[in-house]
Amino acid sequence: MTDINPDQIGAGKPQPLEWRDGDMPYSTAFGDHFYCQTDGRLECGHVFLAGNGLPDRWSDRPTFLIGELGFGTGLNFSETWRQWKLHRRPGQHLHFMSFELYPMRRAEIDRALARWPEIDAERQALAALWPDGPEGIVALDLDGQTRLSVVCGRALDGVAAAAPGFDAWYLDGFAPSRNSDMWSEELMRLVCEKTAPGGSFATYAAAGFVRRNLAAAGFAVERRKGFAGKREMLCGVKAQ
Ligand SMILES: C[S@@+](CC[C@H](N)C(=O)[O-])C[C@H]1O[C@@H](n2cnc3c(N)ncnc32)[C@H](O)[C@@H]1O
């Protein structure tokens, strides 16, 4: 699956997927699941939130910008929004900007997220506002303190065009062995360039070439214990 050229498929086309074990979406384009089969919501908390020092880092920030490579089902967004609502103070604002080649349809997002009663409210709110034909930049003000932007198209193009100032990154682009485009040195350099001083990244990936690309891009990379028996994951901060 590594030879997929996103240009051949075309940005904005529907996500090619099938359902396994009832409600588990599986990408037929990339030959991978969208999240770990143990529990994707808990994995999000372990890898992406804790790996970026969240929710603690929210405490003294009037605004916070999270970038994500790969919106998929919106699970990471929904779990982050849930935790944000528990920890935020009045006046604080979160912007979650995700980059996605194949935006899912509303019914697919709804079906995938219905597995977790913990994010029922977030699933319903997201599905209610999600457009029928997502394209360009889908910008949703989900509540007075939370904005979601999904930039449709190749992550490389979207991140290149984005303004700098990202405080944290969720790198979630399928297994590196199946989608090397989402872990290229070129993309990791752009991610680092667009990161604010003191900003961070986290990912479940632990492949050597991903670690080297992130380090070459300018991150101080740390290895941590992965989720649910995975030996390692990576996280780190932008080196000064
Ligand atoms: C592991 S899934 C993301 C899961 C997601 N974060 C969630 O919460 O459900 C990877 C996503 O990356 C997207 N993707 C793959 N290659 C891409 C590319 N070159 N640019 C942008 N998105 C890409 C896929 O369409 C897929 O939705």
Side-chain angles (χ1 to χ4, degrees):
M1 297 291 166
T2 44
D3 58 351
I4 280 183
N5 175 359
D7 291 332
Q8 289 171 346
I9 306 163
K13 293 252 177 78
Q15 179 80 238
L17 61 81
E18 62 188 38
W19 297 89
R20 297 200 169 168
D21 304 321
D23 56 3
M24 177 76 74
Y26 177 88
S27 165
T28 50
F30 296 96
D32 201 3
H33 288 93
F34 283 75
Y35 30 74
C36 93
Q37 289 155 273
T38 313
D39 190 323
R41 189 183 69 84
L42 295 180
E43 178 188 36
C44 172
H46 178 93
V47 173
F48 296 113
L49 282 135
N52 278 299
L54 301 173
D56 289 357
R57 281 175 66 212
W58 285 330
S59 67
D60 58 349
R61 298 291 305 275
T63 61
F64 200 92
L65 175 59
I66 295 176
E68 178 185 53
L69 301 190
F71 185 67
T73 64
L75 173 61
N76 288 342
F77 168 70
S78 299
E79 175 60 11
T80 301
W81 185 24
R82 185 188 74 81
Q83 294 209 28
W84 167 242
K85 284 186 279 186
L86 294 176
H87 292 91
R88 69 191 182 186
R89 289 194 310 277
Q92 287 186 297
H93 196 269
L94 174 70
H95 188 179
F96 189 105
M97 183 178 288
S98 192
F99 299 87
E100 174 56 57
L101 181 62
Y102 297 142
M104 283 191 177
R105 298 182 193 89
R106 174 188 298 124
E108 293 166 338
I109 289 177
D110 198 52
R111 179 170 174 182
L113 298 185
R115 179 189 187 95
W116 290 282
E118 298 87 346
I119 51 168
D120 225 39
E122 291 75 17
R123 170 180 64 82
Q124 286 181 33
L126 179 60
L129 292 176
W130 192 249
D132 288 331
E135 59 178 4
I137 300 179
V138 175
L140 306 177
D141 284 314
L142 285 151
D143 63 40
Q145 292 180 254
T146 315
R147 166 167 278 220
L148 167 67
S149 302
V150 179
V151 181
C152 303
R154 293 180 72 197
L156 193 67
D157 302 330
V159 177
F166 289 85
D167 297 298
W169 285 97
Y170 295 5
L171 307 182
D172 195 10
F174 287 130
S177 57
R178 295 173 192 270
N179 191 18
S180 51
D181 260 18
M182 282 290 253
W183 309 93
S184 68
E185 186 171 333
E186 190 184 6
L187 182 52
M188 296 303 101
R189 279 193 190 280
L190 279 173
V191 163
C192 193
E193 258 171 55
K194 303 286 168 148
T195 304
S200 61
F201 80 88
T203 179
Y204 51 78
F209 85 90
V210 172
R211 183 164 40 81
R212 287 189 292 276
N213 288 352
L214 284 159
F219 285 107
V221 181
E222 184 191 329
R223 295 183 229 205
R224 287 198 190 162
K225 193 167 167 11
F227 176 72
K230 277 199 197 158
R231 203 159 57 89
E232 280 184 351
M233 58 166 271
L234 302 176
C235 57
V237 293
K238 184 169 176 165
Q240 297 301 315

